[in-house]
Amino acid sequence: MLSVSKIISLTPKHFNKFVKLNTRCLATQTAAKENPAKEIKEKKESLSFTMNLFRGQLQLEQVIPFPKALNSDQSETLKMLVDPFSNFFAEVNDPVKNDDTADVDDKVKQTLWDLGAFSIQVPEKYGGIGLNNTQYARLVEIVGQNDLGVGIMLGAHQSIGFKGILLYGTPEQKEKYLTRVSNGEYAAFALTEPSCGSDAGSVKTRAVKSADGTHYVMNGSKIWISNGGWANIFTVFAKVPMKDPVTGETTEKVTAFIVDRAFGGVTNGSPEKKMGIKCSNTAEVYFEDVKVPAENVLVGEGQGFKVAMNILNNGRFGMVAALSGTMQSCIKKAVEFANQRVQFGKTINQYGSIQEKIARMSMHQYVTQSLAFMISGNMDLGSQEYQLEAAISKVFASESAWYVCDEAIQILGGMGYMKDTGLERVMRDVRIFRIFEGTNDILRLFVALTGIQHAGGHLQELQRAFKNPAANLGLIFEEAAKRATKAVGLGSTPTFAHLLHPILAESANLTGKSIENFGQTVEELLIKYGRGIVNEQFILNRLAQAAIDTYTSVVVLSRASQSLNNKIPSAEHESVMAKVWCSEAASRTAYNLKVVKSEKSLELFNQMKTISRNVCEVGECAQNTPLGF
Ligand code: MYA
């Protein structure tokens, strides 16, 4: 039999280096303590495509085939709702008036309540229309096509406002509150505070349990709360002092509460004056000695951070779907103009500069729409692990919507800049999407760090395996064989072309190469930086971008393949978009993965740090004027 040392000697040098990484590897918090072998066996494999990407592994469970989440009854129900939703925007709602008045008329709001638009996913027994995520995504797309301000009013209510009750409420909490939020009472999600933005765990609002244990007394304030001035029902995150039963030490842990304005002590500031989404209500909310009954804790004391994160993860596809709709209407405006505008004797749609814009705008919309329905479909089919994909989708959708709207304005030229065209409102509205529900900067780091932690965890697993090789021979053999074949050039690049329509094979192979390159790059970075990688944000951002490009490629390939196989009318068009997208995404990925390893780039990053330091020290642009005064 082959000895373990022989196996190691067959592998590339990195493998040997890993096992010496005792002090440097990531994920030490989750290290096995007592029985490593047992833990290794029990470790559940991740089904997330993106998580596995960081190990260079193909995990297609949640990407191919494109999820089909609606049965024929659900499709019929949805079709019956599409017209009333569209008609509402065509006949009742006036986005220009909403924007001008920074409000929505009561009559308009009431029509939305009557339509069931505020309780799309609430089960019918509580007064909602009981739709699933995919159905919600389709309706929200219509909202985003027409009025993002109204979208925020609806989304703050149900995508996050009462989502915690829907997902985690006890039967009593659901009975009591879901009936109300489906019947005219607004809900809001209250996390952000003056000193707690991206650092969601740092809330200062406190809730202290009464001596008799019947209630908590809550004090604190929240800022920028969508629907904050209108809501009666709040999901509030507050720190609760908790005694550790073992050490007796008291620590403060974030806890989620359902707070009813009727408890008393809940007030709000006046509506904020904003750049866009003006008709949605955004306000400060204050909690002063609010008596919150003990039974209004969501999930449990100290579980609030995870509750907040999971609500946000769960709601993000709504934003993605809405922005898919927004991009559709921007593209429609741009194309209507390009088709009829004649310059230099030809309609401008015949010029390459405009064609490239229209093609890129269309691809961004196609990718965004595919992401929205990929995630919502997976969630409907029972996926529990989509946090990285939801974060990627939010980042991609919000940046694409900004880009598409900007390019639409560019195509319309001076006309695009005029208020009457309606694109400047959309531009103001979409700007916030890169900021709220987790800034894109934070979400990029979240994607990169979570993925790296997963890869680091695997390396650590190997380390542990080598401490007790007899018990972990399977794992060691598997890894060694993988590395050995790669070392002698026999390792195969991950391929999934056989799962797709044949005309997409080349694109699938390109994407497969990106996946392989990704895993190798992460490995090299872990070896080089160890734990210190967490501080290398220039690198992390580029890894996140490569993850975005690779995940979006697989998603569009999956969708285009399904369209080709089902011979749907737009299949050809979709496959061209998918191919172009994958080709450019693979080039960007190759570039980004090269940059993170190149000494020259590291030098440039350091120079950028110097520039930033200089400017920050001076407190303004640091150079003198060319005139010297
Ligand atoms: S609401 C305000 C939104 N605010 C944010 O999104 C805050 C952003 N910050 C964060 O997400 C976190 O603080 C970050 C982590 C990510 C920075 N899923 O040590 P940690 C786990 C699952 O890394 P931190 C608004 O804007 C992690 O694995 N788990 O934490 C509304 C670890 O677990 P463990 C997660 O460094 C606007 C633990 O937590 C996640 O403190 C209105 C600690 O992790 C995650 N995501 O911070 C919008 N993150 O201990 C309206 C972390 O087990 C809606 N963890 O290892 C619009 C809808 C659109 C339209 C709809 C139309 C209808």
Side-chain angles (χ1 to χ4, degrees):
M1 203 173 91
L2 215 54
S3 71
V4 170
S5 60
K6 198 93 176 265
I7 296 165
I8 297 170
S9 72
L10 282 173
T11 63
K13 63 178 189 312
H14 286 163
F15 192 45
N16 285 323
K17 229 171 160 187
F18 278 153
V19 294
K20 292 181 195 142
L21 270 175
N22 284 320
T23 51
R24 299 180 65 201
C25 214
L26 278 176
T28 42
Q29 311 97 310
T30 51
K33 284 170 196 106
E34 282 133 26
N35 189 346
K38 186 162 173 272
E39 251 193 56
I40 289 164
K41 272 194 209 118
E42 282 174 0
K43 198 164 186 312
K44 228 174 78 199
E45 283 300 317
S46 166
L47 294 182
S48 153
F49 171 85
T50 311
M51 203 73 103
N52 282 285
L53 171 64
F54 281 80
R55 283 180 53 198
Q57 299 280 91
L58 251 191
Q59 173 50 273
L60 298 170
E61 174 92 11
Q62 295 185 7
V63 274
I64 297 176
F66 200 83
K68 185 173 174 345
L70 299 186
N71 60 32
S72 54
D73 283 352
Q74 288 168 317
S75 294
E76 284 314 308
T77 308
L78 181 58
K79 281 182 199 155
M80 285 193 301
L81 287 162
V82 165
D83 279 347
F85 266 70
S86 303
N87 292 343
F88 162 82
F89 286 106
E91 292 158 16
V92 182
N93 188 59
D94 180 352
V96 176
K97 182 175 172 200
N98 293 345
D99 185 56
D100 284 346
T101 60
D103 203 357
V104 184
D105 285 353
D106 286 344
K107 191 178 129 247
V108 176
K109 286 186 198 149
Q110 191 53 50
T111 313
L112 282 170
W113 281 105
D114 294 343
L115 266 176
F118 281 98
S119 50
I120 295 174
Q121 295 195 265
V122 175
E124 286 175 84
K125 65 175 172 176
Y126 302 121
I129 43 180
L131 303 190
N132 68 11
N133 296 301
T134 304
Q135 292 166 309
Y136 181 77
R138 179 67 192 101
L139 294 180
V140 164
E141 205 175 24
I142 299 170
V143 178
Q145 230 166 341
N146 290 283
D147 192 339
L148 281 173
V150 165
I152 297 305
M153 174 173 81
L154 293 169
H157 177 74
Q158 56 199 320
S159 271
I160 52 176
F162 66 73
K163 188 55 90 59
I165 307 175
L166 191 66
L167 294 177
Y168 305 117
T170 61
E172 294 75 26
Q173 289 170 338
K174 287 184 178 175
E175 181 67 45
K176 197 163 176 182
Y177 293 108
L178 290 182
T179 44
R180 290 174 57 187
V181 296
S182 305
N183 281 291
E185 293 188 64
Y186 293 94
F189 178 86
L191 173 64
T192 306
E193 299 182 1
S195 61
C196 159
S198 291
D199 185 2
S202 66
V203 292
K204 294 227 161 40
T205 296
R206 287 184 91 226
V208 180
K209 204 167 193 175
S210 62
D212 64 2
T214 59
H215 64 272
Y216 294 80
V217 177
M218 182 181 284
N219 280 287
S221 62
K222 302 284 178 177
I223 56 168
W224 303 325
I225 303 305
S226 299
N227 289 349
W230 299 342
N232 280 345
I233 313 297
F234 296 86
T235 303
V236 182
F237 298 89
K239 283 229 167 110
V240 171
M242 289 170 65
K243 206 171 192 168
D244 187 314
V246 183
T247 63
E249 225 176 278
T250 299
T251 48
E252 307 235 325
K253 293 210 168 140
V254 183
T255 301
F257 293 92
I258 307 167
V259 176
D260 187 341
R261 198 182 274 267
F263 293 158
V266 182
T267 53
N268 58 269
S270 42
E272 300 288 354
K273 292 184 171 55
K274 307 186 290 282
M275 175 194 282
I277 55 162
K278 289 189 180 191
C279 71
S280 66
N281 174 277
T282 312
E284 294 188 6
V285 181
Y286 315 108
F287 303 94
E288 202 179 336
D289 291 332
V290 182
K291 267 179 84 171
V292 186
E295 63 268 21
N296 276 30
V297 168
L298 260 175
V299 184
E301 270 190 1
Q303 302 297 315
F305 186 79
K306 286 267 160 110
V307 171
M309 292 302 111
N310 288 339
I311 292 172
L312 291 164
N313 293 339
N314 187 286
R316 282 190 177 124
F317 76 92
M319 190 184 265
V320 182
L323 293 172
S324 158
T326 310
M327 285 183 244
Q328 280 177 48
S329 51
C330 291
I331 291 170
K332 189 161 186 279
K333 281 198 165 101
V335 172
E336 272 168 11
F337 185 83
N339 284 349
Q340 55 77 32
R341 174 73 168 170
V342 177
Q343 288 292 280
F344 307 106
K346 287 201 282 193
T347 51
I348 62 169
N349 63 5
Q350 296 177 66
Y351 294 113
S353 306
I354 302 294
Q355 288 168 343
E356 183 168 349
K357 286 189 198 304
I358 292 173
R360 290 193 186 285
M361 291 157 76
S362 305
M363 287 188 287
H364 277 83
Q365 193 279 332
Y366 181 65
V367 176
T368 303
Q369 188 176 53
S370 308
L371 292 171
F373 287 96
M374 174 66 82
I375 298 202
S376 55
N378 277 328
M379 287 164 73
D380 288 332
L381 297 176
S383 164
Q384 297 293 323
E385 204 196 352
Y386 47 79
Q387 69 269 34
L388 295 191
E389 287 76 10
I392 284 179
S393 303
K394 187 273 185 186
V395 171
F396 185 85
S398 55
E399 290 174 7
S400 298
W402 176 257
Y403 165 76
V404 166
C405 182
D406 185 48
E407 286 291 67
I409 291 174
Q410 192 68 18
I411 289 175
L412 271 94
M415 195 64 84
Y417 199 66
M418 297 300 120
K419 233 179 149 119
D420 279 352
T421 308
L423 285 167
E424 67 82 36
R425 171 176 50 80
V426 175
M427 178 155 249
R428 287 187 284 105
D429 287 349
V430 294
R431 186 60 187 84
I432 188 62
F433 285 79
R434 285 160 55 198
I435 299 172
F436 66 13
E437 274 210 7
T439 66
N440 289 7
D441 314 85
I442 276 293
L443 292 182
R444 279 196 156 87
L445 295 176
F446 167 65
V447 169
L449 285 174
T450 310
I452 284 180
Q453 188 165 10
H454 179 69
H458 175 67
L459 300 188
Q460 201 170 51
E461 212 177 298
L462 284 176
Q463 261 182 292
R464 291 204 300 270
F466 272 94
K467 284 188 187 146
N468 188 359
N472 298 296
L473 264 185
L475 180 70
I476 292 169
F477 267 120
E478 194 187 313
E479 192 69 24
K482 211 170 71 192
R483 283 159 196 282
T485 47
K486 273 194 188 144
V488 293
L490 294 174
S492 56
T493 301
T495 179
F496 55 100
H498 58 289
L499 299 172
L500 300 173
H501 190 279
I503 71 168
L504 300 171
E506 196 185 324
S507 306
N509 291 335
L510 271 181
T511 309
K513 283 205 175 70
S514 299
I515 295 167
E516 182 181 33
N517 186 3
F518 202 107
Q520 285 165 359
T521 304
V522 169
E523 217 171 84
E524 286 175 44
L525 291 171
L526 276 168
I527 288 166
K528 179 167 179 190
Y529 294 95
R531 239 176 201 293
I533 191 72
V534 301
N535 300 317
E536 300 294 332
Q537 296 194 354
F538 284 82
I539 291 176
L540 296 172
N541 279 329
R542 283 155 180 85
L543 280 184
Q545 189 53 48
I548 292 170
D549 274 319
T550 310
Y551 176 63
T552 54
S553 295
V554 178
V555 169
V556 290
L557 285 174
S558 176
R559 178 173 170 196
S561 178
Q562 188 196 55
S563 299
L564 286 162
N565 291 336
N566 294 342
K567 299 188 171 41
I568 70 160
S570 63
E572 273 297 297
H573 173 64
E574 290 183 46
S575 72
V576 180
M577 287 197 287
K579 284 197 255 185
V580 176
W581 184 261
C582 290
S583 173
E584 297 201 337
S587 303
R588 282 193 298 270
T589 298
Y591 175 75
N592 277 316
L593 296 180
K594 190 170 146 207
V595 158
V596 294
K597 292 182 287 188
S598 120
E599 288 304 318
K600 182 77 198 143
S601 304
L602 297 185
E603 203 181 305
L604 289 178
F605 298 160
N606 281 331
Q607 286 167 348
M608 282 194 258
K609 286 181 190 171
T610 306
I611 297 171
S612 169
R613 233 183 351 257
N614 292 345
V615 174
C616 290
E617 264 167 32
V618 178
E620 58 180 331
C621 294
Q623 77 279 18
N624 300 324
T625 75
L627 304 179
F629 60 90

